[in-house]
Amino acid sequence: MDKVCAVFGGSRGIGRAVAQLMAQKGYRLAIVARNLEVAKAAAGELGGNHLAFSCDVAKEEDVQHTFEEMEKHLGPVNFLVNAAGINRDSLLVRAKTEDMISQLHTNLLGSMLTCKAAMKTMIQQGGSIVNVGFIHTDMTKHLKEEHFKKNILLGRFGDALDVAHAVVFLLESPYITGHVLVVDGGLQLTI
């Protein structure tokens, strides 16, 4: 069986780091992003026969169509990484309702829609899904790093590669299921 992995949000940040590690391990990758040109550039940097796709994960029809195209060109997707996300960070009293809705649609509904689409194949043949959370990336670079860093036992923010190693570990561990793996440098131990 081919190891076919769809990396939603694979053109930058954590998704890109995951894709780089998985390409080194011989996976066939679908790099999925909203911007097709950016996804193509990321897929091209990996070498090999990886493909790029455009998808707005907040739209169920887009997600369904993207899975159909991936399976048509790469075969059944047996690994899924949900690293697509947007950040509309603001104080709640200043947050615009449309920004909150947009963030929920992309970050929550989007992951649910991709999981739903992937499960159609995975129920029959097996597979693994990893949903990625928050880490220091370009999307969060505006946050005041020193304020958070003093609470992290390792004394530094994690980077995309730190999370990518954990993602690949979970994808390749068939007997781990329904687990939340916290990759935070010990931050939760200080809270």
Side-chain angles (χ1 to χ4, degrees):
M1 176 190 324
D2 281 338
K3 298 189 297 185
V4 176
C5 180
V7 183
F8 283 79
S11 65
R12 63 188 184 104
I14 296 167
R16 187 179 197 141
V18 168
Q20 289 167 341
L21 281 180
M22 296 186 82
Q24 292 170 11
K25 292 177 155 283
Y27 287 79
R28 295 182 67 210
L29 299 171
I31 305 301
V32 187
R34 281 189 191 185
N35 184 318
L36 183 57
E37 294 308 312
V38 174
K40 283 181 180 179
E45 290 174 9
L46 298 173
N49 58 350
H50 310 294
L51 298 178
F53 299 89
S54 174
C55 181
D56 181 347
V57 296
K59 298 178 179 173
E60 187 168 12
E61 291 159 1
D62 270 16
V63 172
Q64 291 295 332
H65 175 73
T66 301
F67 269 87
E68 289 167 8
E69 288 298 305
M70 287 187 297
E71 292 192 3
K72 183 168 123 182
H73 296 285
L74 292 169
V77 174
N78 38 27
F79 298 93
L80 169 63
V81 176
N82 281 313
I86 59 172
N87 186 15
R88 303 287 188 263
D89 199 24
S90 179
L91 292 174
L92 185 59
V93 295
R94 293 186 188 145
K96 296 177 184 173
T97 302
E98 59 268 16
D99 285 344
M100 290 188 281
I101 291 169
S102 177
Q103 196 167 355
L104 282 170
H105 281 185
T106 299
N107 299 356
L108 178 61
L109 180 62
S111 292
M112 294 171 73
L113 292 174
T114 58
C115 288
K116 179 181 176 183
M119 290 302 294
K120 290 177 183 175
T121 301
M122 290 184 187
I123 284 176
Q124 296 169 6
Q125 69 178 25
S128 297
I129 298 172
V130 174
N131 296 312
V132 176
F134 175 85
I135 192 77
H136 190 65
T137 63
D138 284 344
M139 191 169 78
T140 60
K141 67 183 174 188
H142 70 282
L143 298 176
K144 302 266 187 275
E145 189 170 320
E146 293 306 314
H147 171 72
F148 292 104
K149 208 160 59 170
K150 68 181 180 184
N151 293 318
I152 299 172
L153 289 179
L154 293 182
R156 68 173 180 86
F157 264 126
D159 60 26
L161 191 57
D162 291 322
V163 177
H165 284 290
V167 169
V168 173
F169 166 75
L170 289 171
L171 289 173
E172 294 184 336
S173 301
Y175 207 66
I176 296 176
T177 181
H179 185 71
V180 175
L181 178 62
V182 177
V183 182
D184 71 355
L187 177 62
Q188 76 171 0
L189 298 175
T190 63
I191 298 175

